[in-house]
Amino acid sequence: MTEHSRHDGAPADAATNLTEMWSGRARNRVQWLLAACGAGCIALGVGLVVNANWTSGVAALLIAIIGCFAAGLLVLFGTLAFVHVGVRIDEECLEVRCGHMGVPRRRIPLAQVVDADFAPRVTPHQWGGWGYRWLPEKGTAVVVRRGEGLVLRMRDGRDFTVTVDDAQSAVRILRARCRGGRAAA
């Protein structure tokens, strides 16, 4: 994870500069194991197609093959989407992109952010698992691993949480932007 500044100067000055960009990532290597299980289901489906005796029980065999492919694709693509998360903060918005294709993606205009907090320990257990989560009493979250995270307080009263390394730097920048935006308004 890196912190980028668009100007030359001391890091302490960068916190108050409203043009500073920040980007961070979080990874989960366990998701690769789950993706391998999904690939295994697909391979099992291929094996059933190739080695099956199609003379008897065609319906049951077809259901097994379709089930293997469907389960494999769901597990494979569902886990690959949350192998890592990237967070980027610029002058206008905070953007969260998941997985290698960047989907799901969420753009939050900084005008909608009231405050940002550092969460020292966000766990999948708190949110009901890994991935893109919503709980009525807690808000929305992108959880790819346990560890530190960033919690945004939105103008509409909802919260958005994302697990990302060096979340304290992101909080510092977002708070400076929130104060700067209110002072200018």
Side-chain angles (χ1 to χ4, degrees):
M1 161 146 70
T2 58
E3 189 172 322
H4 304 282
S5 177
R6 291 188 180 180
H7 70 285
D8 295 328
D13 296 334
T16 58
N17 188 344
L18 297 179
T19 62
E20 182 179 14
M21 287 185 59
W22 180 90
S23 63
R25 294 177 69 111
R27 292 187 173 96
N28 184 344
R29 290 183 176 88
V30 173
Q31 294 289 80
W32 286 107
L33 179 63
L34 295 173
C37 291
C41 285
I42 293 171
L44 178 61
V46 169
L48 285 172
V49 169
V50 171
N51 297 323
N53 181 4
W54 288 93
T55 58
S56 62
V58 174
L61 186 60
L62 211 57
I63 290 171
I65 291 169
I66 291 170
C68 285
F69 277 113
L73 288 173
L74 283 172
V75 171
L76 182 64
F77 290 114
T79 57
L80 287 180
F82 296 101
V83 169
H84 63 84
V85 65
V87 178
R88 187 173 70 81
I89 302 170
D90 61 20
E91 299 92 10
E92 299 173 1
C93 71
L94 176 136
E95 184 177 58
V96 178
R97 299 182 79 164
C98 301
H100 297 291
M101 296 187 331
V103 177
R105 177 189 324 181
R106 175 139 186 217
R107 283 179 56 91
I108 300 172
L110 295 182
Q112 294 180 3
V113 178
V114 174
D115 196 11
D117 290 322
F118 172 73
R121 184 165 165 83
V122 177
T123 65
H125 177 46
Q126 293 169 329
W127 287 94
W130 287 314
Y132 203 99
R133 299 297 190 188
W134 176 76
L135 292 174
E137 67 277 1
K138 294 180 101 171
T140 308
V142 176
V143 181
V144 296
R145 52 108 174 111
R146 86 176 39 125
E148 65 183 293
L150 168 66
V151 180
L152 301 177
R153 309 271 181 239
M154 311 300 273
R155 290 203 186 282
D156 61 7
R158 292 183 275 169
D159 290 348
F160 178 76
T161 304
V162 60
T163 54
V164 65
D165 295 331
D166 194 25
Q168 286 180 324
S169 295
V171 168
R172 177 179 48 83
I173 291 167
L174 286 167
R175 284 183 176 168
R177 297 254 167 88
C178 288
R179 282 192 302 273
R182 279 195 289 269

